[in-house]
């Protein structure tokens, strides 16, 4: 029978060979040797053939529709510097700067699923934030172009969707309410509400959120609420609801089980196939997920080590002294054998490994691939239609949606609700006991004034303390939602 194996061709394959058997009374030995490899497209694997994934694929095609606005994202000579917090300087001297990205140039193609990979601290998230208009806390230089034309940060944020690594969602909302809020505030105002809610139902079914759509999300660390994987899928659904032309994702598979991670990546692959530009940073992808990537960008020490088709990377490293063994996940081979110098048994081996990585970085910087990429980035293009994505929800809609969420937040946060009820009962009892013998004459006017002052101060301070205690929790949510354009300043 065919033996399942992974080869350096970076596609799911089956090894087909003839078997010679030698039988005796003691044992039976079968020798299998390879004769040829037959590539099996990913769409024909067992996971892709499952009825649930086929149904989800049809839903996704209906959700995306036939309209497409492909956008090629290119970046040239990106350099990111941040203050070095570990450096020791005098009280009046400015700290030296640490380079996170160094002369990074590349292209994210429309219709392709691009993965950014690299070891911890290589600059993956920094590169994603820089291209997506989310860079902060440092000095960023270089250029980012959409379809060959420079765009400002506000335009970038309107044209793309960004799924952050940390899932910042109001914990007192249900999954359905969170996705519905994103649909109401981020979809065009002229779209009927019924169409928006239909999109919400489609997105819930595409990402398999039916079982938890009416559950309160909860906060990380709490026993109640949805799981970490469901939380991640809710965040992805809130961004995909806008059907963006460009989608950036920071660690979209973190916290997900194998099947859910495969399902999410297959959704991203199909979005890319529909003409979208999909870019994701990812750690430890399985072999099935790795073979979904169209393009691969490898980072090391803030510089590009490889950029090109994912199916070609194993041959690229094999010709440079790092062949990928059979039965090995290509992603594991890249992390363990190409990028990692911690497995060296001595300082001499570690130094040799670092020199090998530095050699690969220098070789790519001088390669024809990099020169062609640099020339391609410099070619001007038609740009993007900035007016088509310039809309914002009405003030009345924003107020109604946010007031509804605030009401649910006040009711569903049972600890605060119980504290408010207990505080009101206690203060009412206290004021009643203090002023229970008030007379109805001229002498009691001052006492009545004091009672009214006491009650008004208590009501005012109680409301202020409630806002102050909730500010720390809701501020992060507010900043995240405002940055993605859910609402604006009044």
């Amino acid at each position: 029978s065919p033996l399942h194996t992974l080869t350096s061709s970076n596609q799911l394959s089956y090894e087909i060979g003839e078997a010679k058997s030698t039988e005796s009374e003691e044992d039976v030995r079968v020798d299998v040797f390879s004769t040829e490899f037959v590539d099996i497209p990913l769409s024909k694997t067992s996971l892709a053939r499952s009825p649930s994934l086929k149904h989800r694929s049809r839903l996704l095609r209906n959700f995306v529709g036939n309209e497409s606005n492909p956008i090629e994202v290119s970046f040239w000579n990106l350099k990111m510097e941040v203050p070095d917090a570990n450096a020791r300087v005098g009280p009046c001297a400015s700290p030296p700067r640490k380079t996170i990205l160094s002369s990074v140039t590349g292209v994210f193609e429309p219709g392709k699923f691009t993965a950014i990979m690299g070891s911890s601290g290589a600059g993956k998230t920094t590169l994603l934030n820089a291209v997506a208009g989310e860079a902060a806390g440092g000095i960023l230089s270089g250029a980012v172009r959409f379809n060959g034309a420079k765009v400002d940060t506000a335009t970038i944020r309107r044209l793309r969707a960004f799924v952050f690594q940390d899932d910042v969602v109001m914990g007192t909302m249900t999954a359905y309410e969170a996705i519905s809020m994103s649909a109401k505030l981020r979809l065009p105002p002229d779209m009927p509400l019924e169409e928006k809610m239909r999109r919400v139902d489609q997105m819930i079914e595409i990402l398999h959120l039916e079982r938890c759509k009416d559950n309160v999300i909860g906060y990380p660390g709490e026993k109640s609420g949805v799981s970490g994987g469901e939380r991640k899928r809710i965040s992805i659904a809130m961004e995909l609801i806008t059907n963006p032309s460009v989608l950036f994702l920071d660690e979209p598979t973190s916290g997900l089980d194998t099947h859910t991670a495969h399902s999410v990546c297959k959704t991203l692959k199909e979005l890319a196939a529909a003409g979208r530009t999909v870019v994701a940073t990812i750690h430890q992808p399985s072999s099935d997920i790795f073979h979904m990537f169209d393009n691969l960008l490898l980072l090391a020490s803030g510089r590009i080590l490889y950029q090109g088709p994912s199916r070609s990377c194993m041959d690229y490293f094999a010709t440079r002294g790092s062949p990928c063994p059979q039965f090995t996940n290509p992603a594991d081979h890249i992390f363990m054998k190409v990028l990692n110098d911690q497995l060296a048994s001595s300082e001499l081996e570690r130094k040799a490994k670092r020199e090998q990585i530095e050699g690969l970085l220098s070789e790519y910087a001088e390669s024809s691939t990099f020169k062609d990429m640099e020339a391609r980035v410099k070619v001007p293009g038609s740009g993007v239609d900035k007016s088509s994505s310039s809309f914002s929800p009405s003030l009345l809609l924003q107020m109604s949606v946010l007031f509804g969420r605030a009401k649910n937040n006040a009711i569903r946060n049972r600890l605060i609700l119980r504290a408010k009820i207990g505080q009101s009962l206690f203060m009412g009892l206290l004021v009643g006991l203090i002023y229970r013998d008030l007379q109805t004459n001229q002498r009691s006017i001052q006492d009545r004034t004091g009672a009214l002052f006491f009650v008004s101060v208590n009501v005012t301070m109680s409301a202020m303390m409630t806002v102050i205690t909730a500010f720390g929790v809701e501020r992060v949510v507010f900043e995240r939602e405002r940055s993605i354009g859910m609402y604006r300043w009044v």
Side-chain angles (χ1 to χ4, degrees):
S1 60
L3 297 180
H4 176 267
T5 182
L6 291 176
T7 68
S8 60
S9 63
N10 285 334
Q11 293 185 352
L12 198 61
S13 305
Y14 285 93
E15 184 178 356
I16 301 176
E18 299 177 359
K20 296 180 180 180
S21 62
T22 304
E23 301 185 15
S24 65
E25 295 181 358
E26 287 80 9
D27 59 0
V28 176
R29 186 176 71 238
V30 179
D31 297 327
V32 179
F33 58 91
S34 61
T35 57
E36 65 174 314
F37 294 96
V38 179
D39 292 331
I40 305 297
L42 182 63
S43 60
K44 296 182 181 180
T45 62
S46 58
L47 279 173
R49 286 197 301 264
S50 65
S52 61
L53 291 183
K54 281 187 174 182
H55 176 61
R56 185 184 49 73
S57 299
R58 289 193 297 270
L59 286 173
L60 186 61
R61 286 194 297 269
N62 293 334
F63 178 83
V64 171
N66 296 324
E67 298 182 1
S68 63
N69 183 25
I71 295 178
E72 180 183 86
V73 181
S74 58
F75 45 96
W76 177 75
N77 201 26
L78 287 184
K79 184 177 182 180
M80 182 72 176
E81 294 180 330
V82 298
D84 190 355
N86 297 324
R88 295 183 178 181
V89 295
C92 298
S94 58
R97 297 192 175 275
K98 180 181 179 181
T99 301
I100 306 299
L101 294 177
S102 178
S103 302
V104 177
T105 299
V107 174
F108 297 143
E109 298 177 308
K112 300 291 181 65
F113 182 13
T114 303
I116 302 176
M117 293 173 55
S119 57
S120 298
K124 302 183 299 297
T125 299
T126 303
L127 174 60
L128 196 71
N129 290 339
V131 177
E134 292 290 338
I139 299 177
L140 176 65
S141 60
V144 177
R145 296 181 173 91
F146 277 29
N147 283 345
K150 291 184 179 180
V151 288
D152 55 16
T153 301
T155 303
I156 292 176
R157 290 182 173 180
R158 287 197 302 266
L159 293 172
R160 57 82 173 147
F162 195 105
V163 179
F164 292 85
Q165 183 176 1
D166 52 330
D167 308 313
V168 178
V169 188
M170 188 71 74
T172 53
M173 302 178 71
T174 64
Y176 186 85
E177 290 170 348
I179 302 172
S180 298
M181 176 179 173
S182 182
K184 291 176 182 178
L185 296 180
R186 300 180 67 188
L187 291 177
D190 56 351
M191 180 181 292
L193 181 60
E194 294 78 9
E195 175 63 20
K196 294 180 180 180
M197 294 303 99
R198 187 182 69 84
R199 281 175 166 263
V200 171
D201 293 333
Q202 286 180 331
M203 188 52 58
I204 287 176
E205 192 170 0
I206 288 171
L207 293 176
H208 302 294
L209 292 169
E210 300 93 338
R211 296 177 60 183
C212 67
K213 71 173 185 178
D214 296 323
N215 295 348
V216 175
I217 296 173
Y219 292 98
E222 294 182 350
K223 294 182 179 180
S224 59
V226 300
S227 66
E230 291 169 338
R231 224 180 140 81
K232 174 64 69 175
R233 281 180 283 158
I234 291 170
S235 299
I236 294 175
M238 293 175 66
E239 294 298 321
L240 288 182
I241 196 69
T242 60
N243 193 14
S245 296
V246 182
L247 178 62
F248 297 105
L249 305 100
D250 192 9
E251 302 291 343
T253 60
S254 61
L256 303 183
D257 60 84
T258 302
H259 183 271
T260 304
H262 182 278
S263 178
V264 168
C265 288
K266 191 170 190 300
T267 301
L268 300 178
K269 174 74 173 179
E270 291 168 347
L271 279 171
R276 274 60 182 169
T277 306
V278 181
V279 185
T281 64
I282 194 164
H283 269 305
Q284 297 178 336
S286 65
S287 56
D288 280 337
I289 291 177
F290 184 86
H291 292 104
M292 292 186 194
F293 303 151
D294 297 303
N295 292 331
L296 181 65
L297 190 151
L298 289 179
L299 287 174
S301 303
R303 297 156 60 190
I304 296 180
L305 187 140
Y306 172 82
Q307 184 175 194
S310 61
R311 67 176 60 188
S312 302
C313 70
M314 288 299 96
D315 294 334
Y316 178 85
F317 292 120
T319 58
R320 287 156 180 81
S322 297
C324 180
Q326 289 187 357
F327 310 103
T328 301
N329 182 357
D332 292 340
H333 173 73
I334 291 173
F335 281 113
M336 300 298 293
K337 300 299 183 182
V338 178
L339 300 177
N340 194 353
D341 61 351
Q342 302 302 316
L343 297 179
S345 58
S346 64
E347 184 62 30
L348 186 62
E349 292 183 6
R350 189 175 292 109
K351 182 180 179 180
K353 188 63 178 179
R354 290 174 182 171
E355 291 177 353
Q356 179 185 1
I357 295 175
E358 185 65 29
L360 290 172
L361 291 170
S362 301
E363 183 176 354
Y364 174 79
E366 298 173 358
S367 65
S368 59
T369 302
F370 173 74
K371 294 178 181 179
D372 294 341
M373 188 73 67
E374 195 172 31
R376 177 180 177 182
V377 169
K378 293 181 179 179
V379 175
S382 59
V384 295
D385 185 6
K386 299 181 181 180
S387 61
S388 62
S389 58
S390 179
F391 62 82
S392 59
S394 65
L395 179 61
L396 180 61
L397 177 60
Q398 294 179 62
M399 296 294 288
S400 63
V401 172
L402 294 178
F403 268 122
R405 183 175 72 173
K407 179 199 70 174
N408 292 334
N409 185 37
I411 295 174
R412 292 172 183 170
N413 198 328
R414 296 186 178 182
L415 180 61
I416 295 180
L417 183 61
R418 291 170 183 170
K420 287 181 179 179
I421 294 175
Q423 182 183 18
S424 300
L425 292 176
F426 174 77
M427 295 306 300
L429 183 61
L430 180 63
V431 173
L433 290 175
I434 293 175
Y435 296 99
R436 67 186 180 89
D437 292 330
L438 284 179
Q439 303 297 321
T440 57
N441 51 33
Q442 186 69 22
R443 297 176 58 184
S444 66
I445 292 179
Q446 186 173 359
D447 294 334
R448 294 177 184 277
T449 303
L452 292 174
F453 175 78
F454 191 86
V455 172
S456 61
V457 169
N458 174 67
V459 172
T460 302
M461 295 303 296
S462 299
M464 288 177 59
M465 290 305 297
T466 302
V467 173
I468 291 174
T469 55
F471 183 74
V473 177
E474 297 185 10
R475 178 184 176 182
V476 180
V477 179
F478 165 75
E479 291 179 345
R480 178 65 55 82
E481 292 176 346
R482 189 176 66 85
S483 68
I484 62 178
M486 276 196 179
Y487 40 79
R488 53 186 171 84
W489 294 99
V490 178

